[in-house]
């Protein structure tokens, strides 16, 4: 760009162009620019826009720790800070970045999976962010009571996620309860060291709680007795709480809270009677999740369910034994349902679905996964009655075909997601017709066609030409897809973020060259594509700069050239699977030392990598890796100090014992 052009657009020092506009006005303009690429273009074309964004930016997601200090100083108006993907972040680097930064506006911080951050870093964070209201520390498996105590100093905290912080006990929960009495949303799912004592103290101190997740805890009915006194509680999740039974639900029903959403999925000792008592005490319930908790539904539960006619919007009954009469009764009694989950329910038939949807015209999500008795008649009924349908899951419904899908596509213009994995569309003519019909769904965002070997390039062309909003496409084992299909896909579906091509064994490097045009692609699965090489990988990563996850397992022809391309271009890559690839220790070492964001690597049976190669590569990545999957035979030959160093840096190693078997691509 010339100096004259820069000044014309406000990039120079002259007073014309956008440079003459105020920072506030330019900030309002940027607020209306939704695409990240367009915002970047604005910054590049005009320094005025760059200054406006710096003064106006509210959210920041950091991928590497090195630029963190500079970024925190560059954006003084930040409210939301995401450090979950910031590789090798630890206490020292976090404290150094926070020192001197003006973070008085920061209200939300995400540290999910930031396993290197401990209590010292959290103390620095709380001190630097006096207006902190929400912290996500989920999946920091090493976090314990000292980390909880550090967070407890944030007295204004309203939201806290401690899911899978395995070291947190009643003591840590007590610190949080005493220090943060204004908590409204709290999750300590999988914190299995927390007992009834901790829950009882929490309830006594945090009376503002509106949402609570105690899933997978060993707590008993006594915890529900305490929770029942939370007058403002609206959402309660207790998935797989095996010590909770009908007595606990009855205690909950007698309480004074205002529950609107309850999840008792996988609670083995809960029966229809317990659910009936729960409903009896909460007449305004909007969401009920009871998947895989009952074998059959009793009349007492059904009669109470009908009393929720005015409010119940979501009902998940996955894994139940149901009948046509039961579905008819649910339809007649719960006419305001917007979501019904019947995944893996025995007894679901066309008659039952027809009677259900005849009364539930507001349904937007219907899950019929593995309901193999339903046919096109069910789809016809859904199409006739559910005009607002957005999500339809039909995985393993083997008796449906293209005629039923035609009705759905014609009558449900708002359809955004459909799952046809392993369905009855099983020959080329029918699959072609099915995709031709689905191409009418111009609002489609998610399409799953896995295990459909008859899906062809021509059918994929129909989708590509009409469904330009598609962001997720699953073609797992669609073995008829070739390079031509990928060319059509890349030409028509520019917004795809997640793409699964595993076992599409006709795809070559030529096909991958087309994928480089998908600039928004973040997740790519290429497992067992035996015809691709490092040339194809290079074609992908040079164009797909946003790539975060890549699966190359059993891509036997991918060698060091593919790793060198990844090391140079895939700078945002966080998860990589290269098991069974023909790479050497040199390529592996270069890769792991170059990718600063890489956190999760699976590298089983890298036969060309020596012990020394593994040793050097893992040392190069030490401090950044959070998860590692590797052959168990290496456990005794890698140096003990390396393994200790990896574990000390928070890396979880999964040792596997798999024989070296080369699989065909089909």
């Amino acid at each position: 760009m010339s100096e004259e052009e820069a000044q014309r657009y406000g990039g120079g020092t002259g007073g014309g162009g956008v440079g003459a506009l105020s920072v506030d006005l330019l900030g309002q303009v940027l607020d209306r620019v939704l695409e990240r690429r367009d915002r970047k273009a604005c910054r590049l074309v005009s320094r005025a826009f760059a200054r406006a964004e710096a003064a106006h930016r509210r959210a920041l997601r950091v991928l590497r720790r090195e630029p963190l200090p500079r970024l925190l100083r560059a954006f003084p108006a930040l409210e939301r800070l995401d450090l979950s993907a910031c590789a090798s972040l630890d206490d020292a680097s976090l404290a150094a970045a926070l020192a001197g930064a003006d973070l008085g506006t920061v209200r939300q911080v995400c540290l999910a999976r930031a396993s290197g951050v401990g209590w010292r870093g959290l103390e620095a964070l709380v001190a630097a962010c006096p207006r902190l209201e929400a912290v996500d520390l989920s999946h920091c498996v090493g976090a314990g009571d000292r980390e909880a105590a550090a967070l407890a100093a944030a007295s204004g905290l309203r939201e806290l996620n401690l899911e899978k912080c395995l070291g947190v006990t009643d003591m840590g929960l007590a610190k949080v309860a005493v220090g943060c009495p204004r908590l409204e949303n709290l999750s300590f799912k999988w914190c299995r060291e927390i007992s009834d004592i901790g829950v009882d103290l929490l309830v006594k101190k945090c009376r503002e709680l509106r949402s609570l997740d105690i899933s997978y805890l060993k707590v008993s009915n006594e915890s529900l007795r305490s929770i029942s006194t939370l007058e403002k509680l609206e959402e309660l999740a207790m998935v797989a709480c095996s010590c909770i039974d009908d007595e606990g639900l009855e205690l909950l029903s007698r309480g004074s809270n205002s529950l609107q959403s309850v999840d008792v999925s996988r609670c083995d000792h809960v029966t229809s009677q317990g659910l009936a008592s729960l409903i009896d005490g909460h007449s305004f319930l909007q969401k009920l999740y009871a998947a895989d908790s009952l074998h059959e539904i009793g009349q007492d539960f059904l009669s109470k369910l009908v009393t929720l006619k005015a409010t119940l919007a979501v009902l998940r009954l996955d894994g139940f034994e149901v009948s046509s009469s039961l579905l008819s009764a649910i339809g007649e009694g719960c006419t305001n349902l917007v979501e019904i989950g019947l995944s893996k329910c025995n007894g679901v038939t066309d008659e039952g679905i027809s009677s259900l949807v005849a009364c539930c015209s507001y349904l937007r999500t219907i899950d019929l996964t593995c309901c193999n008795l339903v046919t096109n008649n069910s789809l016809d009924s859904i199409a006739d009655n559910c005009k607002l349908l957005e999500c339809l899951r039909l995985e393993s419904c083997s008796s449906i075909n293209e005629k039923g899908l035609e009705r759905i596509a014609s009558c449900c213009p708002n359809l955004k997601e459909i799952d046809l994995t392993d369905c009855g569309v099983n020959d080329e003519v029918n699959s072609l017709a099915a995709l031709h019909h689905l191409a009418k769904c111009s609002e489609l965002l998610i399409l799953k066609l896995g295990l459909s070997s008859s899906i062809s390039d021509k059918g994929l062309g129909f989708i590509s030409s009409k469904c330009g909003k598609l962001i997720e496409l699953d073609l797992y084992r669609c073995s008829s897809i070739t390079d031509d299909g990928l060319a059509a896909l890349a030409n028509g579906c520019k917004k795809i973020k997640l793409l699964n091509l595993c076992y599409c064994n006709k795809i070559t490097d030529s096909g991958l060259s087309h994928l480089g045009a998908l600039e928004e692609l973040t997740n790519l699965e290429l497992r067992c594509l035996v015809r691709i090489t490092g040339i194809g990988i290079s074609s992908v990563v040079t164009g797909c700069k946003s790539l975060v996850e890549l699966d190359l397992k059993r891509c036997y022809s991918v060698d060091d050239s593919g790793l060198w391309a990844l090391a140079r271009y895939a700078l945002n890559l966080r998860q990589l699977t290269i098991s069974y690839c023909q790479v050497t220790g040199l390529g592996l070492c270069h890769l792991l030392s170059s990718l600063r964001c890489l956190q999760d690597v699976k590298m089983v049976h890298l036969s060309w990598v020596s012990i020394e190669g593994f040793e050097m590569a893992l040392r190069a990545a030490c401090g950044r890796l959070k998860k590692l999957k590797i052959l168990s035979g290496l456990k005794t030959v890698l140096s003990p100090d390396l393994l200790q160093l990896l574990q000390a840096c928070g890396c979880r190693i999964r040792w596997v014992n798999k024989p070296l078997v080369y699989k065909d691509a089909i």
Side-chain angles (χ1 to χ4, degrees):
M1 180 185 294
S2 68
E3 182 178 350
E4 181 181 349
E5 289 173 322
Q7 290 185 358
R8 183 187 310 159
Y9 291 106
T13 58
V18 296
L21 302 177
S22 69
V23 169
D24 287 341
L25 186 57
L26 291 176
Q28 292 180 40
V29 171
L30 286 172
D31 283 343
R32 289 163 173 78
V33 180
L34 302 180
E35 294 291 337
R36 186 177 62 178
R37 288 180 300 169
D38 295 338
R39 293 176 69 93
K40 182 177 180 180
C42 289
R43 295 198 304 270
L44 292 176
V45 94
S46 166
R47 287 197 293 271
F49 268 125
R51 288 193 296 270
E53 184 182 36
H56 208 258
R57 187 162 183 167
R58 298 291 183 265
L60 178 66
R61 188 167 188 262
V62 184
L63 299 180
R64 291 180 291 277
R65 74 177 187 180
E66 290 80 9
L68 182 58
R70 174 177 57 82
L71 291 173
L72 292 181
R73 288 159 180 76
F75 304 112
L78 285 178
E79 295 179 357
R80 301 181 300 279
L81 181 60
D82 187 348
L83 301 175
S84 60
C86 192
S88 65
L89 186 68
D90 56 19
D91 286 344
S93 57
L94 180 58
L98 295 171
D102 182 7
L103 301 178
T105 58
V106 173
R107 297 176 183 272
Q108 301 176 25
V109 176
C110 181
L111 288 164
R113 291 185 165 83
S115 54
V117 175
W119 63 273
R120 293 183 179 87
L122 293 175
E123 281 187 347
L125 177 69
V126 170
C129 304
R131 302 176 70 182
L132 199 59
E133 293 182 353
V135 175
D136 185 348
L137 206 65
S138 60
H139 295 275
C140 293
V141 294
D145 291 343
R146 296 191 78 174
E147 285 70 28
L151 290 173
S155 59
L157 214 58
R158 296 180 184 275
E159 299 182 23
L160 178 59
N161 190 344
L162 296 174
E163 178 180 342
K164 264 197 174 177
C165 292
L166 303 181
V168 176
T169 70
D170 289 336
M171 183 65 71
L173 186 59
K175 293 283 188 180
V176 170
V178 173
C180 308
R182 288 190 282 177
L183 271 176
E184 295 179 4
N185 302 322
L186 176 62
S187 172
F188 42 95
K189 178 180 180 180
W190 279 112
C191 298
R192 295 177 65 84
E193 297 301 316
I194 290 176
S195 70
D196 293 333
I197 297 173
V199 174
D200 184 58
L201 180 60
L202 172 74
V203 169
K204 289 177 179 177
K205 296 295 182 180
C206 300
R207 304 300 298 173
E208 301 295 316
L209 279 170
R210 296 179 183 274
S211 176
L212 182 61
D213 192 340
I214 59 171
S215 299
Y216 297 93
L217 268 61
K218 300 175 183 178
V219 295
S220 70
N221 294 334
E222 288 304 309
S223 284
L224 295 192
R225 186 193 300 275
S226 301
I227 291 171
S228 69
T229 66
L230 290 170
E231 296 181 358
K232 297 183 179 180
L233 192 67
E234 296 176 354
E235 299 181 5
L236 177 61
M238 40 186 166
V239 179
C241 287
S242 56
C243 298
I244 287 174
D245 56 23
D246 291 350
E247 181 182 349
L249 296 189
E250 187 172 351
L251 289 170
L252 199 60
S253 70
R254 297 175 188 169
S256 54
N257 47 51
S258 306
L259 281 176
Q260 297 176 13
S261 175
V262 178
D263 192 342
V264 292
S265 301
R266 299 180 60 190
C267 290
D268 298 333
H269 295 99
V270 167
T271 71
S272 287
Q273 184 177 353
L275 288 177
S277 64
L278 175 69
I279 295 172
D280 195 33
H282 299 90
S283 56
F284 297 103
L285 206 61
Q286 296 177 10
K287 300 177 182 179
L288 179 58
Y289 302 88
D292 302 306
S293 58
L294 308 178
H295 295 295
E296 58 184 29
I297 298 176
Q299 187 59 42
D300 49 352
F301 169 57
L302 186 59
S303 62
K304 295 296 182 182
L305 196 63
V306 173
T307 65
L308 300 175
K309 182 175 183 177
T311 61
L312 193 65
V314 177
L315 181 61
R316 301 287 316 194
L317 301 175
D318 306 340
F320 278 43
E321 187 76 36
V322 301
S323 64
S324 297
S325 59
L326 173 65
L327 292 179
S328 177
I330 291 175
E332 293 174 1
C334 306
T335 55
N336 288 319
L337 282 179
V338 297
E339 178 179 342
I340 183 73
L342 299 171
S343 173
K344 300 180 182 178
C345 285
N346 291 325
V348 178
T349 63
D350 292 337
E351 180 184 356
I353 294 298
S354 297
S355 58
L356 173 70
V357 300
C359 301
C360 299
S361 58
Y362 300 118
L363 278 170
R364 287 177 169 81
T365 298
I366 301 176
D367 189 348
L368 299 175
T369 299
C370 294
C371 295
N372 50 25
L373 296 180
V374 301
T375 70
N376 287 337
N377 292 332
S378 288
L379 300 191
D380 290 343
S381 298
I382 292 171
D384 290 337
N385 294 282
C386 304
K387 305 298 184 183
L388 302 177
L389 189 69
E390 296 180 356
C391 174
L392 181 59
R393 300 188 181 111
L394 298 168
E395 180 180 350
S396 298
C397 293
S398 55
S399 298
I400 66 168
N401 58 38
E402 78 287 353
K403 294 180 180 179
L405 295 176
E406 180 181 10
R407 292 294 310 283
I408 292 291
S410 300
C411 299
C412 303
N414 296 319
L415 194 67
K416 293 180 173 61
E417 176 182 348
I418 187 165
D419 188 347
L420 298 174
T421 303
D422 195 22
C423 279
V425 187
N426 51 16
D427 62 67
E428 186 174 353
V429 175
N430 287 341
S431 66
L432 198 61
L435 295 188
H436 179 70
H437 299 318
L438 287 176
K440 300 175 186 176
C441 302
S442 59
E443 299 299 313
L444 204 61
L445 300 176
I446 300 174
L447 177 60
K448 298 184 179 182
L449 301 168
L451 295 169
S452 302
S453 59
S454 58
I455 298 295
S456 65
D457 293 339
K458 189 173 182 180
L460 194 56
F462 289 144
I463 296 295
S464 303
S465 63
K466 301 291 184 180
C467 301
K469 296 182 180 180
L470 209 63
I471 60 172
E472 180 177 347
L473 179 62
D474 188 344
L475 297 171
Y476 175 78
R477 288 191 183 273
C478 293
S479 53
S480 296
I481 297 296
T482 72
D483 297 340
D484 292 338
L486 295 191
L489 181 68
N491 185 54
C493 299
K494 299 288 189 182
K495 295 184 178 297
I496 283 187
K497 297 180 184 294
L498 288 82
L499 180 61
N500 187 342
L501 297 172
C502 295
Y503 297 92
C504 296
N505 58 306
K506 293 182 180 179
I507 292 174
T508 69
D509 289 340
S510 177
L512 293 191
S513 67
H514 300 298
L515 297 185
L518 302 178
E519 295 182 3
E520 298 186 29
L521 192 67
T522 60
N523 296 59
L524 180 60
E525 298 183 56
L526 303 175
R527 182 171 300 196
C528 217
L529 300 194
V530 296
R531 302 187 185 190
I532 67 171
T533 69
I535 296 174
I537 301 303
S538 180
S539 299
V540 172
V541 298
T542 52
C544 304
K545 299 294 179 60
S546 299
L547 208 60
V548 172
E549 296 185 15
L550 179 63
D551 187 345
L552 297 173
K553 182 178 180 179
R554 296 189 181 277
C555 294
Y556 302 123
S557 298
V558 171
D559 55 16
D560 283 354
S561 63
L563 299 194
W564 283 83
L566 288 172
R568 181 174 182 180
Y569 298 108
L571 300 182
N572 294 321
L573 200 65
R574 295 204 300 271
Q575 182 172 320
L576 176 64
T577 302
I578 52 173
S579 298
Y580 297 88
C581 291
Q582 300 302 313
V583 300
T584 69
L586 181 62
L588 186 64
C589 187
H590 179 64
L591 177 79
L592 296 189
S593 62
S594 300
L595 295 183
R596 315 305 295 178
C597 294
L598 195 63
Q599 300 176 4
D600 184 348
V601 183
K602 299 176 178 64
M603 47 184 190
V604 177
H605 283 305
L606 299 185
S607 303
W608 292 14
V609 179
S610 65
I611 304 302
E612 292 76 11
F614 279 115
E615 188 90 16
M616 289 189 298
L618 290 175
R619 288 188 182 279
C622 209
R624 298 193 305 274
L625 289 184
K626 296 181 180 180
K627 294 175 69 176
L628 174 64
K629 185 177 180 181
I630 198 168
L631 205 61
S632 59
L634 293 171
K635 192 172 186 178
T636 57
V637 293
L638 291 174
S639 58
D641 67 304
L642 170 62
L643 300 181
Q644 291 174 5
L645 184 59
L646 285 168
Q647 292 174 349
C649 292
C651 180
R652 286 181 291 158
I653 305 176
R654 181 183 173 190
W655 303 98
V656 295
N657 186 17
K658 292 185 176 181
L660 181 57
V661 177
Y662 285 92
K663 295 182 179 179
D664 294 331
I666 56 175

